[in-house]
Each structure stands twice: as structure tokens, then as C-alpha cells.
């Protein structure tokens, strides 16, 4: 066996090791964390018929393919969190060898392995490989779409057109943002019309254009049934979340998260503060480059165009900017990082690679262990607590209403469940939350209930609005936090009264302690007796003392 062959097998062993590392990081304790809101929604949708999935996703911001796949996956392996997460992990694991294939179209073996290594330990990729959503499928399909696109413009072979068409049909039914991948390819193809893509083979550009046109026609035909159904469902209500307009900060935050995943706010803010230095280094680096090669131009276009397009639409028309939707840029982003590393030399290269690698590992560990990660949602602990604390005389209120998905998954208590605003998830859009709607719904919810258990996500629209309204209307008995954004507030809505005559030395706090063993409950007594000044009570004064049944 010659030296060249040994060298080739060495790279294969390294690739296998990187894929093995990626498998371990994606599957290790994959079922230990609580389901998050989006995951619970996926399981709920997938547990219904395929026709219901189609109906529901027409009113949502997503497409039906993933949840239809998940429907059959659940039928085979059950609806437990670990089973659903493994399905996402499989797509995430397959993305690693796919990323290597794509990288080899741009880089030598050593640096293609570097790009694959970045993907293997990427905290961002690992996070979504452990979440029951469509994002790892979207990533895998994006990688293959770019791979077959590059193979087409370099070889113009029929088999690549076939695989490219099949891949893109899957992509356009996976996520609407996949159309940005096709936009990148179209922009690159047209803007490099006069550039020779293959120095060894002359490929007629017009023939390739005709072939791509045929592919586009097939994609239009394939997507037209969904588009027709979508147009006909317009105006029947939407289940899409309301997003806020992004700022330039969101762009830097996205690239930070693509690189280091999800970190506590203080770390994220400190790291993003370094962006001027990183930008300056980038200008210095690019200033020394020769004219950009078509392969590098494709990478840069694939990284920047989706971000610019999404940001512009969000500012000028309607907010659609979410970092996770832009996961489509991460394959080229990781390959681009590997290319930048390959352009550095000597000791600087070794130092840069070491610092970057250690930073990725540290970010992954912190993402998995820190309790301060905003998007970690401990619904399981919160709902188990509520299940144990409520009685049939209580009512659980969720704000915003779509928290119902994880709640129903875990809840086993006796109390009724509702939401603010009141919503029937099977019948259409969530009503708008207004002061008038709050007053109307709270009167319905209160009824003859003993307590209201208000469970909110304070980072979602409607959570704080409901809390502030109930704070001003009822006496709060308890406040408890379960993760960064999940809070439980318990309110007293029914009182059974006793009468107490004030004695010498009494204070409202001491009376509260005598009856409730909690001095802070003096507010309950003050409210029941319309006391504007809780410090002013007189000896012999009769007070109504509400007591909990």
C-alpha cells in the first residue's frame, strides 16, 4: 500500500472519528431535558391525522413535510420526547458526512475535515439535533441542494439534475426559507454567466440554463397544490407567531449563535461587543486577497444573501427574522470559517485553530450546563409542580395560549385548564389580547374558583399583559420561577370570612401571621376590609378575615 493510499485512509479514519464524536454529542442524555414549547407543538400536530396536519400548517408559518414524517415516526416508535428527538438527531448526524462532501467541492481534505469538525461540535447544530423540529432536516436538504448544484455547474451530468430535483422538492415542503437557498443559486448562476466554472471541461451555459429551467418547472408543478391550498385558506385565521422588527444587533447575534450556540445574556453581550474588532480583522484579511474565486463567491452569497433578504423584508414589510430560520446559511458559514483558517499560516494558524476549537467546546459545555440559557424551558418541572398543588376548585390559566401544547403533554392534575385570551386551538387563530378581552375572559375564568394558577412565559406576547392585569385585580399568594422565562403566579379569587377584633399591640401583619402563618398576607386582610392604610387600625375594630377553604 503506497503512501498516497495510506494518507487517503488516514483522512477517512479522521472523518469517521468526527462523525462518531458528532453522534455522541447529539445522543448523550438526549431525553433528559424537558420538552420545549415548539417540540410539544410538533408532537401534538404529528399525533393527529395527516389531513389535520395539512389543515393546521396552512395556518402556521411552516410546511407539512416534517410533521407528516413525524406522524409516521410516532406511529412506529411512540410519542415520547426521546423518540422524537432521535429522529432530529438522525438528520443532524447525516448532515456531517454531507457537509464533508460539500466541503470537498471547495477545500482540500484537511480543511474539509476542519469544516466537518466545526459542524460536529457546533453548539448550534447540536441544539437543533436534540429538538423535535424540522431544522436538522432543513440543514441536511440545504447541504445536498448546494452539493448537487455545484456538481451540475461543474459536470452537467443527468444524475445530478435528478438528485438535485428530488432534493429541492423535499426542501420546498420542509421550510419556506428553503426558497432562499434556491434564490442564492439563481443569483450565483446568473452573476457568474461569463465565468468558467470548470477549467478542464467546457460546459455550454445555455444548455445548463435550459436544464435548470426544466427543474424550476418541475418544482413549480410540485409546489402548486400547496400554493393553491394556501391561497384559498387566506383570511381563515392564522396561527403564526407575532415577531418584532429586528435591528442590526440581531444580525450580529445570529452569527454569534451560529458560532457559539445559545449562551447566557451576559456572555452573549460581552462577546458581541467584540464585533468591531472582528470586522476590522476581516477587512485586513480581505484586503490582501486576490480577486474572489467563484467558489468563494458562492459561499459568501450563500451566507449573506439570506440574511440581507430576511432582514430587509422584516424592516420594510413584515417581521420574519428568526435566527433558527436562517440555519440554511450555516453549512457555507462553517466551510467559510475552515477556508479562512486555511489561509492563515504557521504559528498564527495553530494559535487561531486552538483558540477557536477550545471556544467551541467551552460554548457547548456552557450551553448544556448553564441554567441561564433563555431558550431552555423547564415545562416538565413547572407542570409537575402545578399538578401537585392544584385542586378541582382551582383553575390553571396559560399565557400566551399556545403554552397549552407542553402543558397538556405533562399535566395530570385535577384543575381545569384554560388560557388568556380564551382560545380553542382546533378552531383557528388566537384572539388578540386587549383590555376589553382581558376583562371579559377573567370574569368567565374566575367563576366560583378558589385560586387562579397563572403560568406565563414572560418573553412571549401576552404573558406579562395577563400577569399585570391579574396583579391589579386579585391577591397574589405565590410567585415561583422554573426557568429563565417561565413563571407561576397564584392568585386568591374566593374568600370565606371570619371576624377578628383588634387587640392592644396588634398589627395587620401580626393578625395575618396568626391566621395564615405568613405576615405578607396582610394584603389579603387589607383588601377584604377596604383599608387604604394598612398601618392604621384601632383597638376593638372588627376585621373580616378571609380564610382558605
Amino acid at each position: 500500500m503506497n503512501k498516497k493510499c495510506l494518507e487517503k485512509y488516514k483522512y477517512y479514519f479522521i472523518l469517521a472519528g468526527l462523525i462518531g464524536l458528532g453522534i455522541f454529542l447529539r445522543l448523550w442524555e438526549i431525553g433528559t431535558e424537558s420538552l420545549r414549547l415548539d417540540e410539544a407543538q410538533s408532537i401534538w400536530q404529528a399525533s393527529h391525522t395527516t389531513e389535520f396536519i395539512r389543515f393546521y400548517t396552512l395556518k402556521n408559518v411552516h410546511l407539512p413535510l416534517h410533521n407528516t414524517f413525524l406522524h409516521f415516526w410516532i406511529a412506529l416508535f411512540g410519542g415520547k420526547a426521546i423518540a422524537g428527538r432521535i429522529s432530529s438527531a438522525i438528520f443532524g448526524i447525516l448532515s456531517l458526512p454531507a457537509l464533508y462532501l460539500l466541503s470537498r467541492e471547495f477545500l482540500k481534505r484537511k480543511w474539509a475535515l476542519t469544516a466537518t469538525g466545526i459542524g460536529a461540535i457546533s453548539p448550534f447544530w447540536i441544539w437543533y439535533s436534540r429538538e423535535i423540529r424540522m431544522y436538522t432536516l432543513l440543514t441536511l436538504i440545504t447541504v445536498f441542494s448546494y452539493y448537487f448544484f455545484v456538481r451540475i455547474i461543474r459536470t452537467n451530468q443527468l444524475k445530478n439534475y435528478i438528485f438535485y430535483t428530488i432534493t429541492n422538492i423535499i426542501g420546498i415542503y420542509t421550510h419556506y426559507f428553503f426558497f432562499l437557498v434556491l434564490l442564492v443559486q439563481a443569483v450565483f448562476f446568473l452573476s457568474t454567466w461569463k465565468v468558467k466554472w470548470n477549467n478542464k471541461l467546457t460546459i455550454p451555459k445555455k444548455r445548463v440554463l435550459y436544464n435548470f429551467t426544466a427543474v424550476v418547472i418541475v418544482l413549480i408543478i410540485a409546489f402548486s397544490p400547496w400554493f393553491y391550498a394556501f391561497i384559498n385558506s387566506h383570511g381563515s385565521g392564522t396561527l403564526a407567531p407575532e415577531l418584532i422588527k429586528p435591528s442590526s444587533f440581531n444580525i450580529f447575534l445570529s452569527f454569534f449563535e451560529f458560532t457559539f450556540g445559545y449562551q447566557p445574556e451576559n456572555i452573549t453581550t460581552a462577546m458581541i461587543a467584540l464585533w468591531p474588532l472582528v470586522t476590522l480583522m476581516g477587512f485586513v484579511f480581505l484586503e490582501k486577497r486576490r480577486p474572489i474565486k467563484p467558489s468563494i463567491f458562492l459561499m459568501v452569497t450563500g451566507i449573506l444573501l439570506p440574511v440581507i433578504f430576511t432582514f430587509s423584508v422584516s424592516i420594510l414589510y413584515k417581521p420574519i427574522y428568526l435566527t433558527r430560520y436562517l440555519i440554511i446559511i450555516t453549512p457555507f458559514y462553517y466551510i467559510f470559517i475552515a477556508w479562512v483558517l486555511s489561509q492563515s499560516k504557521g504559528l498564527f494558524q495553530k494559535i487561531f485553530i486552538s483558540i477557536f476549537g477550545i471556544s467551541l467546546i467551552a460554548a457547548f459545555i456552557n450551553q448544556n450546563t448553564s441554567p441561564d440559557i433563555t431558550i431552555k424551558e423547564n415545562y416538565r418541572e413547572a407542570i409537575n409542580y402545578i399538578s401537585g398543588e392544584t385542586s378541582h376548585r382551582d383553575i390553571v390559566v396559560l399565557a400566551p395560549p399556545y403554552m397549552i401544547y407542553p402543558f397538556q403533554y405533562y399535566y395530570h392534575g385535577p384543575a381545569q385548564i384554560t388560557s388568556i385570551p380564551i382560545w380553542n386551538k382546533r378552531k383557528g387563530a388566537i384572539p388578540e389580547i386587549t383590555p376589553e378581552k382581558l376583562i371579559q375572559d377573567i370574569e368567565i375564568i374566575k367563576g366560583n374558583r378558589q385560586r387562579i394558577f397563572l403560568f406565563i412565559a414572560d418573553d412571549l406576547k401576552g404573558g406579562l399583559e395577563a400577569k399585570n392585569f391579574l396583579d391589579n385585580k386579585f391577591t397574589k399568594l405565590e410567585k415561583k420561577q422554573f426557568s429563565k422565562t417561565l413563571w407561576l403566579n397564584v392568585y386568591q379569587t374566593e374568600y370565606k370570612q371570619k371576624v377578628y377584633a383588634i387587640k392592644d399591640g396588634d398589627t395587620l401583619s401580626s393578625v395575618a401571621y396568626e391566621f395564615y402563618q405568613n405576615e405578607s398576607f396582610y394584603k389579603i386582610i387589607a383588601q377584604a376590609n377596604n383599608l387604604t392604610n394598612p398601618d392604621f387600625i384601632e383597638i376593638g375594630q372588627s376585621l373580616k378575615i378571609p380564610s382558605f377553604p
Side-chain angles (χ1 to χ4, degrees), residues 412-484:
H412 55 270
Q416 181 185 340
I417 308 168
T418 187
S419 65
I420 297 179
I422 296 173
W423 173 55
N424 185 334
K425 63 179 181 294
R426 290 178 174 273
K427 292 188 176 180
I430 296 173
E432 184 179 355
I433 187 166
T434 63
E436 295 77 15
K437 182 66 174 171
L438 282 170
I439 294 171
Q440 176 186 337
D441 285 359
I442 288 299
E443 286 304 311
I444 296 172
I445 289 167
K446 176 187 173 185
N448 63 347
R449 302 294 177 178
Q450 172 185 324
R451 291 173 295 178
I452 293 176
F453 282 68
L454 177 68
F455 186 39
I456 70 166
D458 65 8
D459 63 329
L460 299 176
K461 183 178 180 181
L464 289 177
E465 289 88 341
K467 172 190 172 295
N468 292 336
F469 185 85
L470 266 67
D471 280 352
N472 292 325
K473 187 171 180 64
F474 302 113
T475 300
K476 184 180 291 186
L477 305 177
E478 182 183 3
K479 180 179 180 180
K480 190 174 179 67
Q481 184 177 22
F482 292 94
S483 53
K484 185 72 175 177

Side-chain angles (χ1 to χ4, degrees), residues 277-473:
L277 178 62
V278 175
T279 304
L280 179 62
M281 291 175 63
F283 279 124
V284 172
F285 178 79
L286 291 173
E287 187 180 6
K288 299 178 180 180
R289 301 298 99 196
R290 296 175 181 177
I292 297 178
K293 296 179 180 179
S295 58
I296 305 305
F297 177 66
L298 175 57
M299 279 194 286
V300 173
T301 305
I303 294 168
L304 296 182
L305 181 58
V307 175
I308 294 170
F309 180 90
T310 306
F311 184 82
S312 300
V313 171
S314 298
I315 295 297
L316 300 175
Y317 175 60
K318 180 180 179 180
I320 60 172
Y321 191 102
L322 277 178
T323 296
R324 60 181 180 268
Y325 292 176
L326 290 167
I327 199 170
I328 56 173
I329 79 169
T330 54
F332 272 155
Y333 180 58
Y334 297 155
I335 296 172
F336 183 77
I337 292 174
W339 174 76
V340 171
L341 292 172
S342 74
Q343 300 301 298
S344 57
K345 304 296 181 183
L347 182 61
F348 177 76
Q349 184 183 84
K350 294 178 181 178
I351 293 173
F352 193 14
I353 292 174
S354 299
I355 292 174
F356 185 67
I358 292 170
S359 299
L360 284 184
I361 294 170
F364 167 73
I365 294 172
N366 197 52
Q367 177 178 271
N368 279 270
T369 58
S370 174
D372 298 323
I373 307 298
T374 302
I375 65 171
K376 284 186 176 179
E377 300 164 349
N378 196 354
Y379 280 98
R380 181 173 56 202
E381 181 186 348
I383 296 166
N384 285 340
Y385 176 84
I386 294 170
S387 297
E389 292 293 315
T390 52
S391 72
H392 70 281
R393 293 289 319 284
D394 301 319
I395 189 166
V396 179
V397 180
L398 309 175
Y402 41 82
M403 291 172 69
I404 190 67
Y405 300 112
F407 201 89
Q408 286 186 330
Y409 185 88
Y410 286 117
Y411 186 64
H412 55 270
Q416 181 185 340
I417 308 168
T418 187
S419 65
I420 297 179
I422 296 173
W423 173 55
N424 185 334
K425 63 179 181 294
R426 290 178 174 273
K427 292 188 176 180
I430 296 173
E432 184 179 355
I433 187 166
T434 63
E436 295 77 15
K437 182 66 174 171
L438 282 170
I439 294 171
Q440 176 186 337
D441 285 359
I442 288 299
E443 286 304 311
I444 296 172
I445 289 167
K446 176 187 173 185
N448 63 347
R449 302 294 177 178
Q450 172 185 324
R451 291 173 295 178
I452 293 176
F453 282 68
L454 177 68
F455 186 39
I456 70 166
D458 65 8
D459 63 329
L460 299 176
K461 183 178 180 181
L464 289 177
E465 289 88 341
K467 172 190 172 295
N468 292 336
F469 185 85
L470 266 67
D471 280 352
N472 292 325
K473 187 171 180 64

Side-chain angles (χ1 to χ4, degrees), residues 136-178:
T136 50
L137 174 60
L138 176 61
T139 302
L140 178 64
I141 294 302
T142 297
V143 173
F144 276 128
S145 180
Y146 279 129
Y147 173 74
F148 291 120
F149 173 76
V150 173
R151 296 307 301 160
I152 285 170
I153 62 177
R154 286 183 173 169
T155 67
N156 197 34
Q157 292 180 346
L158 177 61
K159 65 177 182 180
N160 291 319
Y161 282 105
I162 294 172
F163 289 130
Y164 177 72
T165 303
I166 294 171
T167 298
N168 288 344
I169 290 174
I170 296 172
I172 61 177
Y173 274 100
T174 299
H175 201 284
Y176 287 110
F177 269 50
F178 183 79

Side-chain angles (χ1 to χ4, degrees), residues 53-70:
I53 293 170
R54 175 183 174 276
F55 163 79
Y56 197 84
T57 48
L58 279 170
K59 298 175 180 294
N60 211 307
V61 293
H62 298 300
L63 288 155
L65 180 63
H66 175 264
N67 282 345
T68 302
F69 160 80
L70 188 61

Side-chain angles (χ1 to χ4, degrees), residues 82-113:
I82 187 171
R85 286 174 177 168
I86 287 175
S87 70
S88 294
I90 290 172
F91 294 129
I93 292 165
L94 291 175
S95 296
L96 298 177
L99 180 63
Y100 177 77
L101 285 176
L102 180 61
S103 301
R104 285 291 289 125
E105 295 297 319
F106 301 91
L107 306 170
K108 294 180 178 179
R109 280 196 180 93
K110 174 182 176 181
W111 299 108
L113 288 172

